[in-house]
Structure formats: structure tokens, C-alpha cells
Amino acid sequence: MVSIHHRIFADIETKIMNGDWKPGQRIPIEHELADQYRCSRMTVNKALSALAERGMILRRRKAGSFVASQQIDRTVMDIQDISTEAELAGHAHAHRILKRRIEKLDASSAALLREKPGAEVLRLQCLHLVDGKPNAIERRIIMLDAVPLAKDESFATVPPAKWLLAQVPWSKARHIIRAVSADPATARLLETERGDACLTLIRQTWQNGRTVTYVEITHPGDRFQFAGDFQPAEQEMPDYSSWRNAT
């Protein structure tokens, strides 16, 4: 016999997957579901917690539970641009350049990038939208000694990452993924709440030992996830028979 909390979970999951409940739609509150299923609020809470862990719903304190927006997977190890990822997933992508300025690399940024202060760089801030909804804030530094063509590029029609991948081959990259809370500026741009969970991908790429670009891309946690498929490296299997013989 299926337990009540599993039945609640399955019923809500079905309504979301079938499109009966749309992303952003508020679902019935706990006591309404408890009355409907003739169970305790604790049982309802257990089902809703499982749905939240699965990424199906987003629970907000004092506001209730809402259907989560469809998430886009980003492969952790590959270097791809947001526009291509969105389009491959069947979504419409747009971007806006919020800030663009040429400046000298300050001491703190130079230490972060392990480059010399005073180098000429292009700083960009870009907002990415997927299906018309903010999906990421991109904060990027481009080293102009490595990519001089970027100095005159507006990035108005082609997003920075897509442009860079087409222009500059890279020989090494480093990825760091962090969970962060949305500060007021981030919350405003991503149309979320201050303190909401976000995922930030930090990436630095090099070409023959020279930094090409450094970028921090922040996504709202309920609209994005990182994913990857991995296989173990091929290696010679140990000869277990020799171990058995030795014992």
C-alpha cells in the first residue's frame, strides 16, 4: 500500500510534469493539502520537502510553496556559452550588456588572477535571459594583451563567452562552483529575493600560460543546475590471482 506522503508527492509531481501547474504557480498550502488528503501537516510537510529536494517546487518562508522553473543543465567540465546551452535545451536566449569599460588591472584583481597590476583589461557585466526571465549575471575580465580585438567589440549581438570561444583557442581552464546568497544587487537583477540561494561558476582560462579571461556567472538556484557524465579512466586491471596465490 502506498503511503500518504508518497501519494501526495506523486499527485503534485504529476500535475507539474503534465503542465497543469505552471512554473511560478503557488500550490495549495499545507493545511489545505492536509484537509484534502485527511492527514497531518507533518505528512504533507514530508512530501513537500521531498519535492523541494527533487527541484520540483520552491518553498518560501511565510509565502508558501511554488512550482519551480524548469532548470537548465550545464555540463560542469565543458566550456560552453549560456546562449548555446539554452538553445540546445529548446529555450529562447537574450542578453544585455549592463557595464563595459576599459581599465587598468588593480592590485586585488591582479592577485586573484595571478597577473601583474596595471595590465589593460576589459570589464563586462552582462545579464542573460532565458525565455524572457533573468537566468544569470555574468561579470567578466578580458585581458586585452591576450585578446586585443575585444577592445573594439560591443558584444551587443554576440554574448561575450560565445564571441571568445570563436576568437581565442584556450589551452587550460579552471572551474570553481560555489553556493552563494543573493545580495541586494544580484536579487534585483535576477528578480529573486535577497538571501535566496544562487549558484556561481567561477572560470579562468589560459592560452599558453597567459590569462585570456576570468568570469563569475551567478544563477538563481531554482532555475539552474550543473550536471555532468563521467567515466572512469581506462587502466590496467590488477592481477588478483597473484594476490590470492601470495596468501
Side-chain angles (χ1 to χ4, degrees), residues 196-218:
D196 276 3
C198 295
L199 288 172
T200 294
L201 169 68
I202 301 169
R203 175 194 292 151
Q204 186 170 356
T205 57
W206 293 265
Q207 181 187 46
N208 299 324
R210 300 167 63 199
T211 297
V212 173
T213 187
Y214 172 91
V215 63
E216 297 181 2
I217 304 173
T218 301

Side-chain angles (χ1 to χ4, degrees), residues 123-139:
R123 281 190 185 268
L124 296 169
Q125 182 169 305
C126 177
L127 180 66
H128 294 269
L129 301 100
V130 174
D131 294 335
K133 192 173 184 66
N135 182 266
I137 302 170
E138 174 182 341
R139 298 179 175 95

Side-chain angles (χ1 to χ4, degrees), residues 86-158:
E87 290 160 5
L88 288 174
H91 299 275
H93 172 271
H95 76 285
R96 301 174 191 159
I97 299 297
L98 304 179
K99 294 179 182 178
R100 184 192 184 282
R101 66 176 183 267
I102 296 171
E103 59 183 47
K104 299 295 184 180
L105 194 64
D106 58 70
S108 61
S109 297
L112 178 67
L113 274 60
R114 297 183 180 180
E115 296 288 339
K116 293 181 179 180
E120 193 173 45
V121 300
L122 175 63
R123 281 190 185 268
L124 296 169
Q125 182 169 305
C126 177
L127 180 66
H128 294 269
L129 301 100
V130 174
D131 294 335
K133 192 173 184 66
N135 182 266
I137 302 170
E138 174 182 341
R139 298 179 175 95
R140 181 181 295 274
I141 298 173
I142 300 175
M143 303 295 294
L144 290 178
D145 62 341
V147 197
L149 289 175
K151 191 170 186 176
D152 298 318
E153 175 59 45
S154 69
F155 302 102
T157 57
V158 181

Side-chain angles (χ1 to χ4, degrees), residues 14-200:
T14 298
K15 289 177 180 178
I16 293 173
M17 296 301 292
N18 289 346
D20 297 330
W21 290 355
K22 307 295 183 185
Q25 180 177 336
R26 188 176 180 222
I27 71 173
I29 58 179
E30 283 189 12
H31 76 78
E32 292 175 342
L33 289 169
D35 290 343
Q36 178 183 342
Y37 288 90
R38 297 182 181 180
C39 64
S40 68
R41 289 184 61 177
M42 185 179 297
T43 299
V44 172
N45 185 273
K46 187 175 181 179
L48 296 182
S49 296
L51 287 160
E53 289 177 6
R54 186 72 65 85
M56 303 292 291
I57 66 171
L58 177 65
R59 306 186 76 183
R60 294 188 184 277
R61 187 177 180 184
K62 297 182 179 180
S65 299
F66 300 82
V67 178
S69 300
Q70 184 176 358
Q71 296 178 323
I72 298 173
D73 289 348
R74 166 170 293 177
T75 302
V76 178
M77 302 306 293
D78 288 346
I79 292 186
Q80 294 184 3
D81 67 281
I82 296 173
S83 62
T84 299
E85 292 167 348
E87 290 160 5
L88 288 174
H91 299 275
H93 172 271
H95 76 285
R96 301 174 191 159
I97 299 297
L98 304 179
K99 294 179 182 178
R100 184 192 184 282
R101 66 176 183 267
I102 296 171
E103 59 183 47
K104 299 295 184 180
L105 194 64
D106 58 70
S108 61
S109 297
L112 178 67
L113 274 60
R114 297 183 180 180
E115 296 288 339
K116 293 181 179 180
E120 193 173 45
V121 300
L122 175 63
R123 281 190 185 268
L124 296 169
Q125 182 169 305
C126 177
L127 180 66
H128 294 269
L129 301 100
V130 174
D131 294 335
K133 192 173 184 66
N135 182 266
I137 302 170
E138 174 182 341
R139 298 179 175 95
R140 181 181 295 274
I141 298 173
I142 300 175
M143 303 295 294
L144 290 178
D145 62 341
V147 197
L149 289 175
K151 191 170 186 176
D152 298 318
E153 175 59 45
S154 69
F155 302 102
T157 57
V158 181
K162 192 169 190 174
W163 185 89
L164 283 166
L165 286 170
Q167 295 288 332
V168 187
W170 56 276
S171 56
K172 177 184 174 183
R174 176 185 296 132
H175 285 172
I176 299 172
I177 299 171
R178 290 178 180 166
V180 300
S181 298
D183 58 29
T186 298
R188 176 177 56 81
L189 288 171
L190 293 180
E191 297 180 6
T192 185
E193 300 293 329
R194 179 178 179 178
D196 276 3
C198 295
L199 288 172
T200 294

